[in-house]
Amino acid sequence: MGKLYVCDHPLIQHKLTYIRDENTKTKDFRQLVDEVAMLMAYEITRDLPLEKVKVHTPVIEAECQVISGRMLGLIPILRAGLGMVDGILKLHPTAKVGHVGLYRDPETLQPVEYYVKLPTDVLERELIVIDPMLATGGSANMAIDVLKKRGCQQIKLMCLIAAPEGVKAVQEAHPDVDIYVAAVDDYLNDHGYIVPGLGDAGDRLFGTK
Ligand code: PRP
Ligand code: URA
């Protein structure tokens, strides 16, 4: 079963509180999501392999370390996943970005695919699927399916807030995918919203409500 990591760093938890607050306006919401994504990127890449290299410091030749192995690919689920991309790119500027466009049908809560564009070398990259909200898990599972159908293997999932139902759904469908979140909330309400959650992540990021 995939592991669930809750990124409980005080800075992440502090900023998440203001992201949840209904009084936080679009500009600040966007900035806070960006900052939390950057802080979570630090946690999620903790296991990246290192290799030894030699560098000449102004004093002597020294043996140091750089990141080795696969390069990263970020896969935001449109729309709301876009709000987390720049924060991660601040720490990993060489990552390539692929997009999976899904929306959740408000009646059935089932995800509907409308766009997929991936880097040409996606199979050679370690991939992080990004979405602020993991509610029923339908969207994350479909995005991971999209990647696996194309042969991708090394995949992580990064969300701000998860419902227990969504975590269970992804762990059952994709036991090889580890999940990184800032919080696991209480439950999903009758409209498929995470409680207490933050409301509609896409609308709050883009000011569409
Ligand atoms: C939201 C959210 C996730 C999805 C989560 O997207 O950003 O993609 O719902 O719900 P699920 O786990 O039940 O699938 P939405 O469909 O509202 O689209 P948007 O990002 O375009 O607003
Ligand atoms: N999508 C959101 O944006 N918010 C939720 O609470 C659930 C799904």
Side-chain angles (χ1 to χ4, degrees):
M1 171 163 312
K3 293 199 186 80
L4 172 68
Y5 296 93
V6 180
C7 302
D8 59 359
H9 191 288
L11 281 172
I12 294 176
Q13 295 304 316
H14 175 87
K15 290 173 191 293
L16 184 62
T17 298
Y18 292 99
I19 288 173
R20 290 182 187 277
D21 188 338
E22 65 176 355
N23 294 315
T24 300
K25 299 283 184 282
T26 303
K27 172 179 162 290
D28 292 333
F29 185 91
R30 217 177 260 154
Q31 183 176 335
L32 287 160
V33 168
D34 179 79
E35 289 170 359
V36 170
M38 185 181 73
L39 293 167
M40 288 184 72
Y42 179 79
E43 302 269 2
I44 199 170
T45 53
R46 189 173 275 285
D47 61 351
L48 288 182
L50 291 166
E51 65 180 331
K52 291 191 167 58
V53 294
K54 295 226 165 44
V55 291
H56 291 270
T57 78
V59 181
I60 197 172
E61 184 181 78
E63 194 172 72
C64 299
Q65 301 186 91
V66 292
I67 290 169
S68 69
R70 287 172 176 246
M71 304 290 278
L72 287 185
L74 310 181
I75 314 292
I77 301 178
L78 305 180
R79 288 178 296 171
L82 288 176
M84 298 170 74
V85 171
D86 287 350
I88 304 173
L89 286 176
K90 281 181 196 142
L91 286 192
H92 297 279
T94 58
K96 287 191 178 173
V97 182
H99 297 88
V100 176
L102 306 176
Y103 71 87
R104 201 170 69 146
D105 183 296
E107 301 297 325
T108 65
L109 300 184
Q110 293 305 306
V112 181
E113 180 184 314
Y114 61 88
Y115 185 75
V116 178
K117 183 77 178 176
L118 302 175
T120 48
D121 60 353
V122 71
L123 296 182
E124 290 147 39
R125 290 180 176 260
E126 179 173 327
L127 303 178
I128 306 176
V129 174
I130 306 163
D131 195 324
M133 309 307 277
L134 179 61
T136 64
S139 302
N141 275 341
M142 186 178 270
I144 296 167
D145 283 339
V146 162
L147 298 174
K148 286 189 174 174
K149 273 189 203 137
R150 287 159 174 80
C152 303
Q153 285 179 342
Q154 273 189 283
I155 303 170
K156 293 174 176 172
L157 173 64
M158 176 174 168
C159 305
L160 292 187
I161 300 179
E165 294 90 332
V167 172
K168 185 163 176 280
V170 174
Q171 286 179 328
E172 283 175 3
H174 298 291
D176 55 318
V177 173
D178 289 342
I179 306 171
Y180 294 75
V181 299
V184 180
D185 278 6
D186 298 341
Y187 62 95
L188 287 180
N189 69 15
D190 292 344
H191 304 289
Y193 275 84
I194 299 174
V195 182
L198 55 72
D200 188 304
D203 282 344
R204 294 197 64 193
L205 266 170
F206 297 108
T208 44
K209 203 171 184 186

